Amino acid sequence: MYNQFNEDKKREEIIAQYYNTIMNRRGMDQVKEIVRKWELLRKNIGVFPSDEAVLLPEYLWVSRSGTGKTEMLQLLAGYLDAAQLMPFSGMEKVIEYKLNYCSPEAPFDELDELIRYLSVSSGYRNEFKGILAVNVDNWLHNLNNPHFIDFVEFLAEHNQSLLLILIASPEEEYLEELENILSLYLRIHRVDINMPDVDGMMDFFSEKLDKYHCRLSEDAENLVRETLEIMKDLDGFDGYKTLEFMVQEIVYNFFCSDHITSRIIGTEYLGEYGADGGLISRYRKRWNNKKKLQKGIIGFQPKGMIGQPINRNAWGKS
């Protein structure tokens, strides 16, 4: 027999699990403050219900690569879905998209591609409901481009079905103009997400190694810390992405050895990850090449959709 009390209790447990996981994440203090407000919002709505839905604002996340945004977006989606603070429908709860630049003279094909992507992700239901996180770095130097205004106007027309999060690199000379433009069309709230400090990175390192039941020796830990002190100031440092890369390589070297006598990983397994090793110099060179290879869409791209006509006004209207 259906039991409403048990269902509500289970939902509260799921909400608490997501909430606590978010609050226990390193850094991202401003994101945590937003979730605290959401928690108050859902409780107040439960006590003082309204006839209209309380719409969440839009957000501008100011962050460089490697701060853990992708994982946080998934946690936020899980929390919002369980808390029933916004509707979700489609094949995924979160879409991450990088908007490629289009010159003013060219057709704004990128907006059409975004609409196609939303349509596919909705399961062709004509409306995706969830979190749309769009990286706008390619437009920071061209905010007066009329295509960018078209893009923001499109977002403003569909903000009732989407939680919009725009992501931009911390280029201070452009951020004020970006905020001013966005605030004309959206209830934009700025969120600054900083790169983790070295202590936080070492905690991440230790937790990852602990899953392999390993830990660094004191000398190895000091060597990794010294390397991270240098790397954190490099333009191309990808934060948690680079740390994951390093952990995997160190673990691989360790378990490929025929001289393992304990679970303590010494400096002999660090390879070129020391402060005087080759990783740092290669990382500097790799950054220039990486910028040239960046693609427009993060993750899945719909197949067989390019070239089909798009009616922008019809999207999202059932």
Side-chain angles (χ1 to χ4, degrees):
M1 186 174 68
Y2 176 74
N3 190 313
Q4 182 66 48
F5 175 79
N6 288 337
E7 286 295 317
D8 290 344
K9 182 179 179 181
K10 182 178 180 181
R11 188 168 72 88
E12 287 295 327
E13 290 173 352
I14 295 173
I15 294 171
Q17 183 178 9
Y18 277 113
Y19 182 86
N20 292 332
T21 301
I22 291 169
M23 292 304 156
N24 288 329
R25 294 279 296 171
R26 299 175 194 81
M28 295 200 177
D29 291 339
Q30 292 187 21
V31 177
K32 293 176 183 177
E33 185 57 36
I34 289 170
V35 177
R36 290 188 186 97
K37 291 182 179 180
W38 289 350
E39 184 71 357
L40 292 172
L41 172 64
R42 80 172 186 90
K43 291 179 178 178
N44 286 332
I45 290 176
V47 177
F48 306 104
S50 61
D51 294 333
E52 291 285 339
V54 179
L55 297 180
L56 303 178
E58 295 77 39
Y59 297 96
L60 171 62
W61 283 14
V62 179
S63 173
R64 57 190 285 188
S65 176
T67 54
K69 295 184 293 296
T70 294
E71 186 174 353
M72 178 57 79
L73 286 169
Q74 295 294 334
L75 290 172
L76 294 181
Y79 171 83
L80 289 168
D81 191 18
Q84 299 179 355
L85 284 175
M86 61 171 289
F88 286 86
S89 68
M91 298 186 295
E92 48 196 329
K93 289 185 171 65
V94 179
I95 290 176
E96 292 184 76
Y97 194 94
K98 187 160 189 176
L99 193 71
N100 282 335
Y101 177 73
C102 293
S103 67
E105 299 78 19
F108 195 10
D109 293 337
E110 266 299 298
L111 181 54
D112 294 339
E113 288 303 311
L114 173 59
I115 295 172
R116 291 188 185 99
Y117 190 29
L118 290 169
S119 178
V120 171
S121 298
S122 72
Y124 297 99
R125 295 182 179 88
N126 206 37
E127 186 175 26
F128 169 79
K129 295 181 179 180
I131 297 177
L132 174 62
V134 183
N135 187 302
V136 296
D137 279 347
N138 290 330
W139 295 81
L140 291 182
H141 299 188
N142 299 276
L143 294 172
N144 60 345
N145 185 321
H147 287 328
F148 187 73
I149 303 302
D150 289 343
F151 163 68
V152 179
E153 288 180 338
F154 169 80
L155 296 181
E157 291 173 2
H158 300 93
N159 63 348
Q160 293 194 16
S161 60
L162 301 169
L163 173 60
L164 302 172
I165 299 177
L166 301 180
I167 299 172
S169 298
E171 298 188 40
E172 289 296 338
E173 62 268 35
Y174 303 106
L175 287 178
E176 183 177 358
E177 183 181 359
L178 176 61
E179 286 187 80
N180 288 338
I181 291 173
L182 295 177
S183 63
L184 293 174
Y185 301 90
L186 304 168
R187 296 163 49 215
I188 202 73
H189 290 201
R190 174 170 168 171
V191 178
D192 291 288
I193 301 176
N194 298 320
M195 191 65 71
D197 59 21
V198 173
D199 286 339
M201 288 189 278
M202 290 304 302
D203 288 343
F204 176 88
F205 224 87
S206 297
E207 287 179 12
K208 286 291 182 179
L209 288 177
D210 188 58
K211 293 181 179 179
Y212 297 96
H213 307 289
C214 296
R215 65 180 178 86
L216 296 174
S217 69
E218 184 177 350
D219 289 342
E221 183 174 337
N222 291 337
L223 195 58
V224 170
R225 181 179 290 273
E226 186 180 354
T227 300
L228 294 179
E229 286 283 0
I230 298 172
M231 293 188 67
K232 69 180 177 62
D233 296 322
L234 299 180
D235 288 339
F237 179 54
D238 272 347
Y240 290 122
K241 296 177 184 177
T242 298
L243 296 184
E244 182 73 37
F245 175 86
M246 293 174 66
V247 169
Q248 290 298 327
E249 184 65 9
I250 290 172
V251 168
Y252 176 79
N253 290 337
F254 179 71
F255 282 106
C256 284
S257 173
D258 60 357
H259 301 295
I260 296 178
T261 58
S262 72
R263 294 282 186 163
I264 300 175
I265 299 177
T267 56
E268 66 270 23
Y269 299 105
L270 300 189
E272 296 184 312
Y273 290 166
D276 297 325
L279 176 68
I280 292 175
S281 62
R282 291 201 307 275
Y283 216 92
R284 289 191 176 103
K285 296 175 183 176
R286 183 172 71 94
W287 178 243
N288 292 328
N289 293 329
K290 182 179 179 181
K291 289 193 291 186
K292 297 176 183 177
L293 295 173
Q294 285 178 335
K295 296 181 179 180
I297 296 176
I298 303 172
F300 167 74
Q301 180 172 0
K303 303 293 184 181
M305 299 288 294
I306 297 175
Q308 296 182 15
I310 287 290
N311 184 346
R312 296 175 184 169
N313 295 324
W315 186 86
K317 294 182 171 59
S318 311

